[in-house]
Amino acid sequence: NFKCKPFDNEIWYTNGSTVEPVALSIPNSLDSKIISNIYDKEKECWIMTFECALTKIGKYAFSRCLNLKSITLPNNVKIIEDRAFEECLNLSLVILGKGVSEIKDYAFNNCNNLTYISIPDSVTTIGRNPFSGCANLTEFRGKFATKDGKYLIIDSRLVAFAIGCGDNKCVIPHMVTHVGDSAFSQSKTLNYISIPNTVISIGHGAFQSCGNLVDIIISDNVTF
């Protein structure tokens, strides 16, 4: 919601404090040296400035940064690597730059405070459910999101279900041919899932830790 956007070598974030900045879990995960990390009173956020433009957020870069509340990425970031924001338990707002093309496996795994995520039109590839375990995620927006915001579907593959939407019954849309790895993982409220006869494969861990799932219908067309 800022009036201006980060430069190519900046990440903007908030942590509810003007004193203690967020530390990267793996300092070299962004392939660039940190020049400064300064609180901007006018913008009311921290600005982390790097030596050169950022093109990716590396593996585990912000993993378990428990005081991270919001983050805004510049438009030149193209890749968000595996588990880059895993278990950022207080992260509630993520603004992805317009240049992101790939969100890799479990990038936002167990970000329990995340309520929605907007996927930019630039995205072409999404790995294993990047939002697995996001217990309060109620809505997907933008590219690949269904009209009701409950599913991410790319090339007929159901990537993720918004497990915080509160639904206890799920009828998978007929456009789906593949249920992706970990697609419904940790959906605590679901007790019924109907899989249409368009589906031919169900990925690894698709229903892992769905503790209340008691009724599931799988058609004869599923071969894997």
Side-chain angles (χ1 to χ4, degrees):
N1 295 325
F2 296 112
K3 292 180 180 179
C4 50
K5 298 297 181 183
F7 290 107
D8 290 350
N9 64 329
E10 293 178 352
I11 288 177
W12 295 6
Y13 68 92
T14 63
N15 64 349
S17 170
T18 61
V19 178
E20 184 180 358
V22 169
L24 292 170
S25 292
I26 303 177
N28 62 354
S29 60
L30 302 174
D31 292 339
S32 181
K33 181 181 178 181
I34 297 175
I35 297 175
S36 63
N37 196 14
I38 300 172
Y39 187 80
D40 188 306
K41 291 183 179 179
E42 183 179 350
K43 297 182 178 67
E44 296 183 333
C45 73
W46 287 88
I47 298 180
M48 189 182 292
T49 306
F50 298 85
E51 195 170 54
C52 59
L54 300 174
T55 58
K56 74 174 183 179
I57 307 298
K59 291 182 179 180
Y60 299 97
F62 291 91
S63 176
R64 292 193 61 78
C65 286
L66 301 182
N67 58 347
L68 182 64
K69 292 189 174 183
S70 71
I71 192 160
T72 302
L73 302 180
N75 289 333
N76 55 296
V77 169
K78 293 178 170 53
I79 299 173
I80 299 175
E81 290 277 6
D82 303 351
R83 304 180 189 270
F85 295 95
E86 182 173 54
E87 296 186 1
C88 290
L89 301 181
N90 291 302
L91 182 63
S92 60
L93 178 63
V94 176
I95 300 177
L96 302 177
K98 296 179 180 179
V100 173
S101 61
E102 187 171 1
I103 303 173
K104 292 196 174 183
D105 301 352
Y106 309 113
F108 296 91
N109 186 46
N110 289 334
C111 288
N112 289 335
N113 234 17
L114 197 62
T115 56
Y116 79 91
I117 187 81
S118 184
I119 308 297
D121 290 346
S122 55
V123 171
T124 58
T125 304
I126 299 178
R128 297 178 182 178
N129 189 354
F131 310 102
S132 175
C134 294
N136 291 301
L137 184 63
T138 60
E139 183 184 5
F140 296 111
R141 299 179 187 176
K143 192 173 185 179
F144 306 129
T146 54
K147 288 183 178 180
D148 60 10
K150 294 178 183 178
Y151 304 94
L152 277 184
I153 299 172
I154 176 171
D155 296 332
S156 301
R157 178 173 64 99
L158 198 161
V159 175
F161 171 68
I163 64 176
C165 69
D167 285 2
N168 58 14
K169 293 185 178 181
C170 170
V171 179
I172 293 175
H174 281 81
M175 68 182 77
V176 174
T177 59
H178 304 273
V179 176
D181 295 351
S182 304
F184 291 88
S185 176
Q186 302 185 54
S187 300
K188 304 298 185 184
T189 60
L190 281 179
N191 56 38
Y192 169 89
I193 296 176
S194 177
I195 301 174
N197 56 18
T198 54
V199 172
I200 60 174
S201 71
I202 298 173
H204 298 287
F207 307 106
Q208 182 179 13
S209 299
C210 293
N212 291 304
L213 184 59
V214 295
D215 194 358
I216 184 165
I217 300 172
I218 302 175
S219 82
D220 292 338
N221 292 332
V222 174
T223 58
F224 176 81

